[in-house]
Amino acid sequence: MGIAEELGPIVALDADGSEVKLGDLWRERPVVLVFVRHFG
Amino acid sequence: MRDAIPAIREKGAELAILGNGTPAMAREFRDELGLDVKLLTNPGLEAYRAAGLRRDLGGVLSPRVMLHAMRALRGGFTQKSTRGDAMQLGGVLVVAPGGKILYRHASREAGDHPAPAEIVASLDASAEPASPRAG
């Protein structure tokens, strides 16, 4: 399975606590997804 | 990376930041940096694993990490208390519609960041037209 196929269904939370499916990030346009080690 | 945001948008792409703390930590981070980008968090770290990013103590305690930290301090950045998983390493993925991976960088240690220009250049691949057909 490719990285995008594995990542796509994973649900993350936005800053307001709402669920966001990662696959939705690149549905319409390319996304630069930066994984930070931690916030701050 | 924040300086690269206009160039990323110029190429029709968007920047999203994924961390691993709580949504409240994400809010603080966004407010401190004044970032106008999508900010997400994945406390379970499933996305980090799916992206093949490392999580180990060696990556956050190596001598090279001290050099990165000194460089960051000279640049005026200081790390405050850790908000998230202290052993998780980061990285960057550029994903095109359809799921094609245009760019991938998995940090080998804390402070190992790719050049923003490399990331922006990878977006050109998504803008290339389909190969012309003869005929």
Side-chain angles (χ1 to χ4, degrees):
Chain A
M1 193 191 274
I3 291 178
E5 285 76 18
E6 232 179 293
L7 269 179
I10 293 175
V11 173
L13 299 172
D14 69 12
D16 300 314
S18 305
E19 296 188 342
V20 176
K21 200 163 86 174
L22 294 182
D24 289 344
L25 298 176
W26 58 83
R27 187 179 305 283
E28 287 171 7
R29 64 181 72 183
V31 67
V32 175
L33 185 56
V34 177
F35 292 75
V36 295
R37 287 180 52 225
H38 43 71
F39 291 123
Chain B
M1 179 58 74
R2 69 191 301 177
D3 295 342
I5 294 174
I8 288 169
R9 291 187 173 151
E10 210 167 278
K11 292 190 185 288
E14 203 37 85
L15 175 71
I17 297 177
L18 184 87
N20 55 66
T22 63
M25 291 173 186
R27 274 199 302 278
E28 262 183 62
F29 184 71
R30 181 187 60 191
D31 295 346
E32 275 171 19
L33 297 182
L35 286 173
D36 171 31
V37 297
K38 194 174 269 293
L39 196 54
L40 302 169
T41 188
N42 175 226
L45 303 175
E46 297 91 348
Y48 289 77
R49 282 194 291 274
L53 303 179
R54 292 176 55 187
R55 181 178 182 280
D56 66 31
L57 202 56
V60 294
L61 290 180
S62 77
R64 278 166 53 127
V65 172
M66 299 310 291
L67 287 175
H68 291 309
M70 284 164 64
R71 198 177 58 199
L73 279 172
R74 277 203 305 272
F77 295 98
T78 53
Q79 180 182 327
K80 304 192 182 65
S81 59
T82 298
R83 288 175 291 193
D85 185 317
M87 286 197 285
Q88 179 62 56
L89 290 171
V92 177
L93 274 184
V94 180
V95 191
K100 186 178 175 195
I101 304 294
L102 302 177
Y103 181 88
R104 178 174 177 273
H105 175 90
S107 295
R108 287 166 296 156
E109 62 215 359
D112 170 28
H113 304 303
E118 258 180 40
I119 296 166
V120 172
S122 77
L123 290 165
D124 290 335
S126 74
E128 280 167 17
S131 336
R133 282 199 213 158

